[in-house]
Amino acid sequence: MKERTGTKKTTLRRWELALLLGVAAAALWGVRLDGEQAALADKVVRLHVLANSDTQEDQALKLAVRDAVLAAADGVVPPGVELEEAEQALTQALPAIADAGARVVGEQGYSYPVTASLEHDVWFPTKEYTDFAFPAGEYTALRVTIGEGGGRNWWCVVFPPLCLGSVTENTAETALEGGLEDREVSLITGEDEGYVVKFKAMELLEEFQGWLEG
């Protein structure tokens, strides 16, 4: 009986050790991905369009406003500039961007106000697009709010202009021209296989850490 108890304790210690090693590895991996996301966030401006509500009509209106906003933002940021200059150009264009969205709202028979602002430290979840993805984290964002802004959102990237209509190059070329480095382009375009899974895992790890701290 004593021998069994000793074996059970040894097994438990091994299980505990394996768990601790797994948590430590996940934490180190999370620190690395956090660092990569932070470096990426220092070079991009996300686009965040908030619908008035989740009704079918308001969601359709959101997409129409999105198209107008993308058209209004197209060409606002000169090529070859860095983030600070991009932010300045977008800030100057905020009234025109809001007016473009408001025109669409009025044309479709609604009276919702439309506001446009450039905000820092806006949290975004992991988001996949056609040929690239961005990890969860805080970014500078061009935020366009329709009415109450209580509906599902639409996210993309306005600088580098990965979601604008005038972009004719592929994502990697556009990102490199926008100031991203090769390793950052590889991160968002998936040359590092399983990148979206890593982004999701990082997001879950952050939620778990928040739960532990809470």
Side-chain angles (χ1 to χ4, degrees):
M1 182 66 68
K2 290 183 180 179
E3 184 177 348
R4 284 186 178 181
T5 303
T7 302
K8 185 175 180 181
K9 287 182 178 179
T10 302
T11 303
L12 182 59
R13 292 193 188 100
R14 288 175 180 170
W15 178 84
E16 289 174 334
L17 178 61
L19 178 61
L20 289 172
L21 288 174
V23 170
L28 289 172
W29 184 41
V31 168
R32 178 190 171 190
L33 287 175
D34 278 343
E36 291 176 340
Q37 184 277 327
L40 188 64
D42 285 340
K43 297 183 178 181
V44 304
V45 178
R46 304 291 296 270
L47 176 60
H48 192 199
V49 182
L50 294 84
N52 178 67
S53 75
D54 280 336
T55 66
Q56 185 175 352
E57 294 78 11
D58 282 349
Q59 286 296 309
L61 180 64
K62 174 193 71 177
L63 297 179
V65 170
R66 171 204 65 186
D67 293 342
V69 166
L70 289 174
D74 200 359
V76 165
V77 180
V81 303
E82 296 185 354
L83 180 62
E84 183 177 355
E85 296 170 283
E87 290 185 3
Q88 291 173 355
L90 288 169
T91 298
Q92 292 175 357
L94 289 176
I97 291 171
D99 287 345
R103 280 197 300 272
V104 171
V105 170
E107 288 169 359
Q108 297 206 14
Y110 297 90
S111 58
Y112 302 140
V114 177
T115 61
S117 59
L118 196 66
E119 302 181 15
H120 296 91
D121 302 324
V122 178
W123 191 88
F124 286 79
T126 297
K127 185 63 179 176
E128 297 179 62
Y129 302 95
T130 303
D131 56 354
F132 66 98
F134 268 71
E138 293 182 342
Y139 295 86
T140 298
L142 171 59
R143 175 172 279 181
V144 178
T145 304
I146 307 167
E148 297 295 327
R152 292 191 303 276
N153 311 323
W154 188 84
W155 296 285
C156 206
V157 184
V158 71
F159 176 77
L162 301 182
C163 300
L164 300 184
S166 65
V167 176
T168 56
E169 303 92 347
N170 61 37
T171 296
E173 291 173 349
T174 301
L176 286 170
E177 290 176 0
L180 270 62
E181 298 178 5
D182 287 334
R183 60 183 175 79
E184 293 162 341
V185 173
S186 297
L187 178 68
I188 67 170
T189 58
E191 292 180 22
D192 180 9
E193 188 176 356
Y195 67 135
V196 174
V197 174
K198 292 179 181 179
F199 292 169
K200 291 288 188 181
M202 182 175 71
E203 192 172 344
L204 289 172
L205 179 61
E206 289 176 350
E207 291 178 0
F208 178 68
Q209 289 173 335
W211 177 78
L212 289 177
E213 293 171 358

